[in-house]
Amino acid sequence: FLMIRRPPRSTQGVSSAASDVYKRQAMTAGCGKFVIEVQGKGSHGAYPELGKDPITAICQTHCAIHTILSRSISGYEKGICTIGKINAGNAENVIPDSATMGGTIRIEKTEVEKEIKKHLEQIVEFVPKAFGCQGKITFMDSTPAVVNSKEHAGYLIEVAKSIVGEKYLVEESARASDDFSFMSNTVPGAYMFIGQCATGKQGVVNHNPHYDYNDCLLYTSPSPRDLSTSRMPSSA
């Protein structure tokens, strides 16, 4: 609401990561979620021939999904398709009626996302059929990629250099996603990650059970004051 009624001159975003990372263009991947449902026919585990096993069908569907990027998408394109959960059954000796799994698609280009979705739909339709089951896929709302403005990213880099020095900066894109993209798509700006691992140690990425925020970042990272008082280029 405020981005529309009172849009700022520019936008800046900073997050912690395993290393100091910035990118002058595509900073993070876009991310979309999906859910796959496979409907079969339940039966007793002693008589599998009397049913249509959705677990077998969904496992084969899972394997087929991981051929999309290796066989249907150019190796020059960036894309990741991950299955993060599979649910089926409640008893060891019962073949259930249905099975579900959910995952994510991560991309930088919308045309690659469309191609991945097309292959997902084909796999989900035809692989379960080979096992006498029916497959259905539902795509959820997606988060666009964060695409830095070159001008704003350049200035944010200069601010970071003045604090930590150039040797600690690494230019590369991240495969994670961030809803900061909804702001930067409205008002151009820049986003970067601040490395939070100690020197000589392997960093731990966010959303990890072993993640431990490095409090030293509070003293070495660009603060909101650094960013707001710096002369960030106006998007107007």
Side-chain angles (χ1 to χ4, degrees):
F1 179 75
L2 289 176
M3 295 291 290
I4 298 174
R5 292 292 299 273
R6 292 188 176 184
R9 294 174 61 245
S10 61
T11 55
Q12 307 104 43
V14 176
S15 179
S16 64
S19 62
D20 290 354
V21 173
Y22 69 92
K23 187 76 172 178
R24 294 180 190 272
Q25 289 183 295
M27 181 63 232
T28 72
C31 181
K33 297 180 180 180
F34 60 85
V35 174
I36 295 171
E37 302 172 68
V38 173
Q39 184 66 43
K41 180 183 178 183
S43 68
H44 194 288
Y47 307 100
E49 72 278 8
L50 300 180
K52 303 295 182 184
D53 190 347
I55 296 179
T56 300
I58 207 164
C59 286
Q60 293 298 321
T61 301
H62 173 272
C63 291
I65 285 172
H66 289 294
T67 67
I68 295 175
L69 295 171
S70 65
R71 293 296 178 268
S72 301
I73 303 296
S74 170
Y76 294 104
E77 300 292 355
K78 292 184 178 180
I80 300 175
C81 192
T82 299
I83 301 297
K85 63 178 182 179
I86 299 179
N87 298 305
N90 295 299
E92 293 81 358
N93 63 336
V94 178
I95 294 174
D97 280 324
S98 62
T100 63
M101 64 182 172
T104 56
I105 303 169
R106 298 179 185 275
I107 43 78
E108 287 188 3
K109 298 178 181 178
T110 55
E111 53 267 32
V112 175
E113 180 182 25
K114 290 178 181 178
E115 190 70 12
I116 292 175
K117 285 183 175 181
K118 182 187 75 174
H119 288 289
L120 278 171
E121 288 172 340
Q122 292 172 344
I123 288 171
V124 172
E125 178 182 0
F126 293 110
V127 172
K129 278 186 178 180
F131 299 90
C133 301
Q134 296 293 320
K136 176 186 176 183
I137 185 168
T138 303
F139 295 104
M140 323 295 276
D141 291 339
S142 60
T143 300
V146 173
V147 179
N148 283 344
S149 156
K150 288 185 179 181
E151 185 180 16
H152 292 77
Y155 198 84
L156 187 60
I157 291 165
E158 292 305 314
V159 173
K161 284 180 181 179
S162 68
I163 297 172
V164 301
E166 185 173 1
K167 70 177 182 177
Y168 292 108
L169 296 179
V170 178
E171 183 169 3
E172 63 181 41
S173 57
R175 288 176 288 180
S177 63
D178 198 292
D179 53 12
F180 176 78
S181 59
F182 291 108
M183 290 190 286
S184 60
N185 284 351
T186 303
V187 178
Y191 187 94
M192 73 182 300
F193 289 101
I194 303 298
Q196 66 100 41
C197 60
T199 303
K201 292 186 178 181
Q202 178 65 42
V204 177
V205 298
N206 301 353
H207 306 292
N208 184 300
H210 300 290
Y211 178 82
D212 182 19
Y213 184 78
N214 185 352
D215 292 333
C216 292
L217 287 181
L218 298 173
Y219 303 99
T220 60
S221 302
S223 67
R225 180 178 178 275
D226 292 324
L227 299 177
S228 62
T229 58
S230 297
R231 296 179 180 178
M232 180 67 74
S234 173
S235 60

